[in-house]
Each structure stands twice: as C-alpha cells, then as structure tokens.
Amino acid sequence: MLSILQCMNCNRQYPIDAVIYTCEECGGLLDVQHDLDTLRKTVTRDTFDQRLGTYEAPYNSGVWRYKELIYPDVKQEYIVSRPEGNTNLYHSPKLAQWAGVKTLYLKHEGENPTGSFKDRGMTGGLTQARVLGMKRVACASTGNTSASLAAYAAFGGLEGIVFFQNKQIALGKLSQAIAYGSTCIQIAADFDKNLELVRQVGIELGIYVLNSINPFRLEGQKSIVIEAIQQLRWKVPDWIVLPGGNLGNTSAFSKALYELHKLGLIDRIPRLAIIQAEGANPLYRSFVKEFESYEPMHAETLATAIKIGNPVNYPKAVRAVMWTDGVVEQVSDQEILDAKALIDGQGIGCEPASGCSLAGVRKLVNGGIIKPTETVVGILTGHLLKDPDATISYHRDELGTLKANYPNHLHQAEPSVEAISQILMGKGEAQTA
Ligand SMILES: *Cc1c(COP(=O)(O)O)cnc(C)c1O
Ligand SMILES: [Zn+2]
C-alpha cells in the first residue's frame, strides 16, 4: 500500500521519492496520495485512541499518532519528531459569547515545540528530507516556518537555510532561526519574491525546499484537524475557522477531512471558514467572484504571518472550499488585534495572525453565515511570545490609525507603599508608559 505523489490537475503520478514540487507535465500542485482502499479496511478510531498517552515514539507525537494517514510506509529511523502536536483544545465560554456562538473551542497550535503549527509540517518535511538522503533544507519565510525549519533541521542533523524578508520580521521568530543555527539570509524582497528565489536556488544547488508547496508538510499539518476531532471524541464540529496566508493549512485541513470521511472515521465534513487580513486577501477577492479570477497583490497587514499576496496553495484552497462547502471572509487589522487582545486577556494568548480566527467567527455570525447554535473550532496558529512588539504597541496605543479597544495599561509608580496603594485602590492615575 505504497503512497504516491499525484498532480491535482492532470492526475499524473510520480514515485513517492521523486524530488519534485510541481507536476512536470502541467505545473500543477502535487498531493501525497495514500491507498485509501486499503486504509479503509485497516484503520479505525480505535487505532488512534489506543495510542493516546503513550510514551512510545513515534506515536507520542500528535502528528505520528495518525501515521497511517500521514506517511504509512515511512521507516521509523527516518522520522524527525520533537514530538509535536498534542496541543490543547480550550473551551472558552466568554470568547464564545463575544463572538456570538454557544460553543467555541480554540485549538492552540502555539503550544507546539517552536510555538506554531509549522512544527507539524516540518516533522513531515524533515522526515522526507531524510528519506531522500538530503543534507540541506531551505525555506523562505514570514518567520514561523524558518523558526520551525531551523529547529527540525538541527534536531535531524541537517543544515537549515532560511530566506528572510528585510523588514517586519517578528523578533521572536528571527531569534529562533538564528539560535537554532540555520544559515540565515536577509534579502531585500518581500515573501512572495523570496519564495520564488528559494525554489530556483533549491533546484540549482540540490537543496530540499520546505515551503508549504511541499506536500509532505501538508500531510503533517492534516493532524491539526484530526487531533481536534479526536479531542471532541470524534464528534464533528459544524465549523473549523482558521487564518489564511499561504493557504497550506487550508489545503491540509480539507484533505484531512476529505480522507477521514472517505475512511469512515467521521460521518460528515465540517465547513471550513478561511479568514484573511483585508490587506492580504487574494483568496477572499477571488471567492467573492466565485473563483472566476485570481489576482496576486501587494500584501500589507500587521499580522505578518499572513502577509502574503500570492499564496502558492491557491488552487488547493479553491478545492478546499469546494470539498468542505467552505467560505472565505476578511477582517481588518483593527479587528485582528482586538480579537487577539481578548484571547490574550483570557489567559490563552496568541500572535496577531491567530486573532483572525476569533474575529472571523464574530463577523460570520453577524453576517448570518455561522448560526449561534453551531459548534465552532477556531485555530490559534502561533504563540503570544512570537511578536512581543505587536502586543506592547497595542497596549500602549501606539499603532497609528489603529486603536487599542481592550488595552491593559502599564502603570508607573514611585517606590512607596502609598503610591502603589493608590493604584491598587483604583485612585492612581491610569498612566500609560
Ligand atoms: C504560517 C502561519 C499562518 C498562515 O498559514 P498558511 O498555512 O500559510 O495559510 C497563520 N498564522 C501563523 C501564526 C503562521 O505561522
Ligand atoms: Zn499535472
């Protein structure tokens, strides 16, 4: 029951160990295709439930627990796992109320080893790099992909190479890539241009490219929704809501849901709601035109993880909307940062891009798309500590035209009990630092 690579357009097939990223025939994106007919006979919910809580690698990972659905035939010795996944699914009545739904769960992918869901993709990508005997792996990144690649490359004994854009990189992410020892190159270009460059350099120098065009990364990221549904005791939510940047998660989620349904592990497919920032919304603009046209754009948003104007996985995202009866919505930076502040204020916390999920639920409820009685799982994609600048600037209300609607002011006090008491008794001036 060997898996193969298959073009999503022309269905041409390639061996699983071919080093290609797009179809040689038509340029289409590739899927890792598993033998679903065999899996249907061998895999049950029990297969995965029995592995819960184990210390045994690789099943202690929230990705490799589902090995049969991710990369069934891979030999254990190749697997590079921290282990990742096993992230919490928070039930948040307060945020649910704010968003206007009865039941809202937030799956916190910031709880992965390097602080974002990218780790679930990287364990797949680095594992394949070792299967192929590669020595060097590279990516272009808005930040989290590079942090993750750097860690997994080092952990797996490979050289990591990351291309950064020259501005607006969140400090938490840059510092991770440097600390984990990757070769870091800052390039005077935006993400979309860097992605083009990394693909060319990869081909010329024989370096394995691990951007989300790489289908093995998407296989790993499928585990986010599989794990969420297992955490719900296999009861399928009505909606899964997520931020959309390069649309890797969008593609991975829909493939996971499609396969789970085919395998009889879920009885219906939840609807996906993909939320983009207004300043980086090529999928949204295409969606409102019923996908009749697609135009790459120059991207601008404070949510740097989704500041992408030409998402490589666009064709798979269109398929995702079809497969899941999905919708695409946009939210403003103001809505993103306010939603983030509310998530942070509940003690959960996330980076700006993740705010899309909560902001998006509220907007879709207001628009009558999500019904208040429906069950929603929102994905928090990255950790609060990834982008401290964004958080501090918000609470200082130093974001130019944007306003901090839920600020937590930093008080200043003289070193005396009296001065401190004044603040704590509510008499102190609410000074902002
Ligand atoms: C990568 C990333 C995204 C965007 O995910 P895509 O799969 O590229 O759409 C969103 N949020 C965070 C924190 C990310 O790191
Ligand atoms: Zn093709």
Side-chain angles (χ1 to χ4, degrees), residues 117-118 144 243-249 305-306 351 353 381-382:
F117 73 81
K118 299 297 198 298
N144 280 330
N246 223 356
L247 305 173
N249 260 350
I306 51 172
E351 72 163 276
T381 43

Side-chain angles (χ1 to χ4, degrees), residues 161-187:
I161 301 163
V162 304
F163 290 20
F164 279 107
Q165 64 235 67
N166 57 346
K167 52 177 185 182
Q168 245 194 328
I169 313 166
L171 268 189
K173 307 176 185 181
L174 179 61
S175 59
Q176 281 179 294
I178 292 173
Y180 291 131
S182 272
T183 303
C184 301
I185 310 172
Q186 216 163 35
I187 299 165

Side-chain angles (χ1 to χ4, degrees), residues 7 9-12 14 23 25-28:
C7 172
N9 287 342
C10 73
N11 293 331
R12 183 166 164 187
Y14 302 88
C23 178
E25 193 83 23
C26 76

Side-chain angles (χ1 to χ4, degrees), residues 6-121:
Q6 183 169 327
C7 172
M8 69 172 287
N9 287 342
C10 73
N11 293 331
R12 183 166 164 187
Q13 299 186 340
Y14 302 88
I16 196 76
D17 58 354
V19 186
I20 48 168
Y21 308 100
T22 49
C23 178
E24 287 169 357
E25 193 83 23
C26 76
L29 297 171
L30 302 175
D31 286 309
V32 176
Q33 204 64 56
H34 305 300
D35 178 356
L36 295 183
D37 290 334
T38 304
L39 288 177
R40 201 182 155 83
K41 288 179 216 132
T42 50
V43 170
T44 64
R45 293 174 180 178
D46 250 6
T47 314
F48 308 128
D49 285 344
Q50 278 167 7
R51 294 172 186 162
L52 286 171
T54 183
Y55 292 120
E56 297 297 322
Y59 301 124
N60 57 352
S61 155
V63 174
W64 297 102
R65 180 184 310 129
Y66 315 104
K67 183 167 180 282
E68 290 80 357
L69 309 185
I70 308 292
Y71 200 163
D73 304 303
V74 74
K75 290 208 192 91
Q76 162 113 25
E77 68 206 72
Y78 292 123
I79 294 178
V80 185
S81 173
R82 283 287 302 272
E84 47 292 311
N86 293 308
T87 59
N88 285 301
L89 187 66
Y90 294 100
H91 185 214
S92 179
K94 276 207 174 140
L95 295 176
Q97 193 187 14
W98 182 80
V101 287
K102 213 171 108 208
T103 313
L104 175 68
Y105 296 95
L106 293 172
K107 183 146 181 72
H108 205 329
E109 288 299 303
E111 294 172 351
N112 274 291
T114 77
S116 83
F117 73 81
K118 299 297 198 298
D119 293 345
R120 295 195 189 244

